[in-house]
Amino acid sequence: IEPGVNEPVVTDTSAAVAVVSTSDPFTEPVPASVEAKEGTIISSRLLARITAIHVRAGDYVEQGQLLLELEKSDLIARARQARDQVRSVEARLTEAQQNLKRAEELHQRGLIAVADRDAARADAASLEADLSSVRQALEEAETAVSYSEIRSPIAGRVVDRFAEPGDTASPGENLLSLYNPFSLWVEARVREHLALSLSMGDQLQVEVPALDKTYIAKIEEIVPAADPGSRSFLAKAILPSEKQLLPGMYARLKVPAGDRTRLLIPADRVAQVGQLDVVWVADEGRVLRRFVRLGRPAGDGQVEVLAGLAEGDLVMPLP
């Protein structure tokens, strides 16, 4: 046999199927992350020892629920001192007001000088100012006592706790982390060419591979400034309430990218040779074997061809 490739000769191409092209809407998957729209970090406004923490990671809490208690004996003592000062100044003010009333009566009868009446007035006015000051000090002390009980600002779920009873809480130090599990969104950095076509209220598909689910998310926020490094815009889309969704999960946001032309052939006309995909094509009376690269299934028994064929090629049945 002389060297060369011996292709089978074909005269009947009635069983061949032509490669067809279709134009379909195309979406580009953009890596995204599930994040909490409403979240908060709980910290203390006081330097005090933690006496009790009533929640742990994963617990659900209501708004206003007591989360953490700090040592408050010294704060209560200061509040009591401020309360005693208020009572003391109130008593002195009552006496000064009575003295002022008597001074007014005596002055009208001409029994005391004007200077004495004015002194009584000044004494009463000074004590009224002192009473206002000590009342403000009492309010400040009582507010400090309320800071020893830290309550939840939102209804949500505890993500993590960063302290234990007996630790000393410093102002601004993270103690607990909360988020609202019913208000989650996906955050994705969309390249500028696609981001400019997005609008507020657009509904996009979001895939969460870990859950093997697809959700419909609504665009709620687009940051109006691009990242100079990646030339992308940050887009945020609200997700539906779902117990299985958790912050930090990986997701893919499907952003519309216009129409795309696809080449389709019947899936039963493709043979696998090892890890390669092969089809037989009728070309000028001969049957040629071609290696192709396939895309995703297109439904109705069709499969997308990414490379190896052109529109109109005749694909023969498998030999």
Side-chain angles (χ1 to χ4, degrees):
I1 300 175
E2 295 183 359
V5 178
N6 298 317
E7 298 93 351
V9 178
V10 62
T11 58
D12 183 11
T13 59
S14 60
V17 175
V19 178
V20 298
S21 65
T22 61
S23 181
D24 301 319
F26 172 67
T27 57
E28 180 176 318
V30 178
S33 178
V34 178
E35 300 294 343
K37 179 184 177 182
E38 185 181 8
T40 182
I41 299 295
I42 303 298
S43 58
S44 171
R45 298 186 63 173
L46 304 173
L47 177 64
R49 183 175 60 86
I50 300 173
T51 57
I53 300 179
H54 301 288
V55 294
R56 286 200 169 273
D59 291 347
Y60 287 92
V61 297
E62 298 294 334
Q63 185 175 4
Q65 180 177 333
L66 181 62
L67 303 177
L68 187 144
E69 294 183 67
L70 303 176
E71 188 177 18
K72 57 182 177 181
S73 57
D74 56 336
L75 301 177
I76 293 177
R78 292 176 187 174
R80 288 175 179 172
Q81 291 176 0
R83 198 173 294 110
D84 292 340
Q85 289 178 355
V86 170
R87 286 197 292 265
S88 174
V89 176
E90 286 177 343
R92 291 166 53 196
L93 177 60
T94 301
E95 181 184 6
Q97 290 174 340
Q98 292 175 351
N99 292 337
L100 175 60
K101 183 178 180 181
R102 285 192 294 266
E104 293 283 0
E105 293 176 354
L106 292 175
H107 176 68
Q108 291 178 358
R109 296 164 57 185
L111 299 179
I112 63 173
V114 175
D116 294 334
R117 184 200 62 183
D118 293 343
R121 285 181 177 178
D123 188 25
S126 175
L127 288 174
E128 287 178 354
D130 291 344
L131 179 60
S132 176
S133 177
V134 295
R135 281 176 175 172
Q136 292 177 3
L138 174 61
E139 183 179 354
E140 181 180 355
E142 290 176 343
T143 302
V145 173
S146 67
Y147 291 157
S148 64
E149 294 183 351
I150 301 177
R151 299 181 179 274
S152 176
I154 61 173
R157 191 179 188 186
V158 180
V159 179
D160 198 1
R161 79 183 214 177
F162 310 103
E164 296 295 333
D167 294 346
T168 299
S170 301
E173 180 183 4
N174 294 345
L175 301 177
L176 295 171
S177 175
L178 303 177
Y179 80 96
N180 186 349
F182 302 106
S183 63
L184 298 177
W185 58 15
V186 289
E187 297 183 359
R189 290 205 166 271
V190 184
R191 59 187 178 93
E192 57 185 13
H193 178 71
L194 296 179
L196 295 178
S197 65
L198 295 178
S199 301
M200 302 294 293
D202 288 351
Q203 293 187 344
L204 306 179
Q205 289 187 337
V206 176
E207 291 182 347
V208 182
L211 303 179
D212 194 22
K213 290 185 178 181
T214 300
Y215 302 92
I216 301 297
K218 181 179 179 181
I219 296 290
E220 186 171 278
E221 183 179 328
I222 300 176
V223 178
D227 181 11
S230 60
R231 306 298 179 187
S232 60
F233 289 83
L234 181 61
K236 302 177 182 180
I238 289 291
L239 288 167
S241 298
E242 174 68 48
K243 291 184 63 176
Q244 293 179 312
L245 286 173
L246 299 173
M249 279 186 165
Y250 174 75
R252 285 191 291 263
L253 182 66
K254 293 187 175 181
V255 181
D259 294 334
R260 185 182 66 165
T261 300
R262 299 192 301 169
L263 299 179
L264 303 179
I265 61 173
D268 58 5
R269 299 291 174 104
V270 182
Q272 288 188 338
V273 180
Q275 296 182 350
L276 302 177
D277 296 312
V278 182
V279 297
W280 279 261
V281 180
D283 183 18
E284 297 180 355
R286 297 176 301 173
V287 177
L288 304 179
R289 185 176 62 174
R290 290 189 188 176
F291 295 99
V292 295
R293 183 158 57 94
L294 301 180
R296 295 183 177 181
D300 296 331
Q302 302 286 313
V303 65
E304 180 183 5
V305 178
L306 302 178
L309 293 175
E311 183 180 1
D313 286 346
L314 298 178
V315 181
M316 300 294 293
L318 298 181

